[in-house]
Amino acid sequence: MPENKNIKVALVGNPNSGKSTIFNSLTGATQNVGNYPGITVERKEYTIKYNDYNITFVDLPGIYSLTAHSNDEIVTKNFLINKNFDIIVNIIDSSNIERSLYLFSQITEFYSSIIIVLNMIDILKYRGKQIDGSKMEDLLGVPVLATVANKNIGITNILASIVATFENNKVQKQTRAKVDYTDVIKEEINKLTPLIQTNSEFSIFPKNWVSLKLLENDTQTLNLIKNTQNKDKILQQLQKSINHIKEHFNQPPGVIIAETRYGFANSIVKTILKNSVKNKIDITEAIDTFVLNKYLAIPIFALAMYMIFKFTFTFSEPLVNIFDIFFRWIGTLVANILPSGQLKSLIIDGIISGVGSVLKFFPLVLFMFFAIAFFEDSGYMARTALVMDKVMSKFGLGGKSFFPLMLSTNGCAVPGILAARTLESNRARLITIFVVPFMICGAKFPVFALIISTFIPIRYQTLTMFIMYILSIAVALSVTKILDKIIPVTEMSHFVIELPPYHVPTLKGLCLKMWERGWLYVKKAGTLILFASILIWAAFAYPRVPQDKNIGTVSQMNYSFAGRVGDLLEPVFKPIGMDKNIAITLISGFAAKEIIVSTLGTVYSIEEGTTQIKSLKDEIKNDKNWSPLKGITFLIFCLIYMPCISSVVVFFKETNYNCKWLLAMVLGNTLLAWVCSFIVFKLGSFLRIGIC
């Protein structure tokens, strides 16, 4: 038994293979999971104790090949080739073994301590097929395990196999099937390898691996070669080898190598995969006949989003009202207990009215996350990119760019921006992260819910929210079209996506995902929003109106620091129907969009100044400075203007700290928001729609 009690395990696999689900099951972590690529965009590590061992699991972004193109693929490739780990656990989607074995064929070329995990084995059985695990072990020479990760089946076997493989310190079964490249490829590899091995920096790689990557035209490997002393000889021989292979096969070496690997994977599959019963009707194919139909696909997607909003508004309303009553009761109770003074104002106007205005929408956020999680776990969300591909392509992007937009809708713009790393094209990546903040994220949702529930009749609230969601997509696509004209095309990318089979979501999985995302909302309310609410209260509460000076009937709101800033901002916002208090509210949203709601709560609480706390919705409805038209104008501004500070920071980082794009996003979005709001407000005023 080895003295070293630390084991580092790399989890590797294709997107949608269940890597992150297995990572969570093994570690007890709460890494976000989903049935579409882009969920894991950078490696995540977590250490557990098992049988006196400290096992560190590294969840790497999903890849199809070690020939990396996108940023997340490069993260995985770099980690693997540096070999800073002990064991690779290769997660394989049992319903698509051939494609998964293509990746395995590349991994096994430079590393031997590998464990194969056949995940989603239940789907394969449902299709009337089974895998001969023993025969697969004999052929590949590695342990093969079967799991159903979302049901926690077979997870403990992975831990036992990791320890056993580590303790043996070598692969037990040495009968390992290898990819047998053609004699022509082998000859050219033998010509390149001696030239490469004269450079000591390549000694860490297997003998022929670098030569093979050069023949595949791997960009990273080519860049490494350009830094060697004998680069001219290597590149000269490489060109000769490429030409020779082209002459022989009439195709580039990369194509021949890929075909050979797929041939290897296909031969393994034919040997190990057997039909256990007569072929059943494939439910996934049957559903996709309608869901991906060229005429029905977009209407079905629209219906799915409408159902999410309908479910959210219908079932959350009673709980939202209960939360509202609770926080008003707490405020009234505290108001009757505490003596008048600044401490009382801070607790009631700043904390209870500010934070309570946000927390009362907690049930609404939970129901929205539950509904979205249902469509995610069922497998439908992965298909939205395919549905939207034709639409997106008309605006200069592919369907894969729709994933970051959906991730933003699912919770926050930050993971949406990070998910753009999965895009191969730098141009597509830039345009995508530019338009991600236009989506209605979880932080904007309470703002929209507040205004819509205030001015829109109940029977039209779901429809209004749905229209706002469609409008967010329309704005994103319009800006995409503008950027498509501005940013030159430097590289072409192709849209390929693996569609997962449909699942019946488990209630436990839906509730877990709902709570994970919902808890972030509560956590933000108890930290950032609480801090911001206190600052906003202080801005409206100070400086105090002097009692010994003749300054007329100036109110505390107008005399305060926030009131004076509002006076400066009001001329800018007045043309779009907003007074200075609303202007301050919108500026506060730069910290976090939920703070818009807390600021409104603080403003009306300070203005009211009574011991009877009223509903924020009633306060807004009774305010003569508001109207249904101004409410809709306010929402359009919130939809488009600059995102929160967290999104801005991540955007700046993802654009390699480019100040030009940062200013374009912050100032450009805000200017666009003002122009659109101006048009809506003036048009509505002219037509006398919603002015009272």
Side-chain angles (χ1 to χ4, degrees), residues 517-564:
R517 294 172 179 174
W519 175 245
L520 292 177
Y521 182 83
V522 175
K523 189 177 178 181
K524 186 186 276 190
T527 52
L528 175 62
I529 294 172
L530 173 62
F531 179 70
S533 296
I534 293 172
L535 287 181
I536 291 163
W537 169 83
F540 279 107
Y542 294 98
R544 305 297 295 169
V545 177
Q547 299 298 319
D548 57 344
K549 291 184 179 180
N550 183 21
I551 59 173
T553 57
V554 176
S555 68
Q556 176 60 43
M557 294 287 288
N558 290 330
Y559 192 77
S560 68
F561 175 75
R564 297 175 191 183

Side-chain angles (χ1 to χ4, degrees), residues 465-495:
M465 189 68 221
F466 175 71
I467 290 172
M468 285 293 172
Y469 177 74
I470 297 301
L471 182 62
S472 71
I473 295 177
V475 171
L477 291 178
S478 299
V479 175
T480 296
K481 191 66 176 178
I482 294 171
L483 294 174
D484 181 52
K485 299 294 184 183
I486 296 173
I487 304 173
V489 179
T490 57
E491 51 192 330
M492 297 297 293
S493 60
H494 302 281
F495 177 51

Side-chain angles (χ1 to χ4, degrees), residues 194-355:
L195 296 174
I196 294 168
Q197 287 186 322
T198 59
N199 300 281
S200 59
E201 58 263 41
F202 294 112
S203 60
I204 61 172
F205 301 116
K207 182 179 178 182
N208 296 324
W209 190 75
V210 176
S211 301
L212 199 59
K213 299 308 290 180
L214 287 174
L215 290 174
E216 289 182 272
N217 196 31
D218 182 77
T219 305
Q220 280 186 292
T221 310
L222 283 169
N223 289 335
L224 288 175
I225 292 297
K226 289 175 182 177
N227 295 324
T228 59
Q229 292 182 347
N230 62 336
K231 63 178 180 180
D232 293 334
K233 288 184 179 180
I234 295 174
L235 293 175
Q236 187 178 10
Q237 179 56 52
L238 175 62
Q239 192 58 53
K240 288 180 181 179
S241 297
I242 290 172
N243 293 337
H244 179 66
I245 293 169
K246 278 184 177 180
E247 289 175 5
H248 192 88
F249 294 103
N250 201 28
Q251 284 183 317
V255 174
I256 304 303
I257 292 169
E259 288 178 350
T260 306
R261 286 178 179 148
Y262 271 116
F264 164 80
N266 182 260
S267 65
I268 297 295
V269 171
K270 285 182 178 178
T271 306
I272 63 172
L273 191 62
K274 305 295 180 185
N275 289 330
S276 57
V277 296
K278 291 183 179 179
N279 290 336
K280 296 183 178 181
I281 297 173
D282 193 321
I283 298 297
T284 295
E285 289 185 10
I287 295 174
D288 280 343
T289 302
F290 298 96
V291 168
L292 300 181
N293 180 279
K294 64 179 180 179
Y295 301 111
L296 298 176
I298 290 182
I300 289 174
F301 171 62
L303 178 63
M305 296 309 301
Y306 181 84
M307 288 170 61
I308 288 174
F309 296 128
K310 183 67 175 176
F311 173 84
T312 301
F313 276 93
T314 302
F315 289 97
S316 69
E317 184 181 9
L319 287 174
V320 169
N321 290 335
I322 291 173
F323 271 58
D324 185 32
I325 293 170
F326 172 75
F327 283 109
R328 284 193 284 128
W329 174 77
I330 290 290
T332 302
L333 181 66
V334 173
N336 290 325
I337 294 174
L338 292 178
S340 298
Q342 292 303 94
L343 177 62
K344 178 179 179 178
S345 177
L346 168 63
I347 294 174
I348 296 173
D349 302 330
I351 297 174
I352 296 176
S353 295
V355 178

Side-chain angles (χ1 to χ4, degrees), residues 587-599:
I587 296 302
S588 71
F590 181 56
K593 292 297 179 272
E594 301 99 328
I595 294 175
I596 292 174
V597 176
S598 69
T599 304

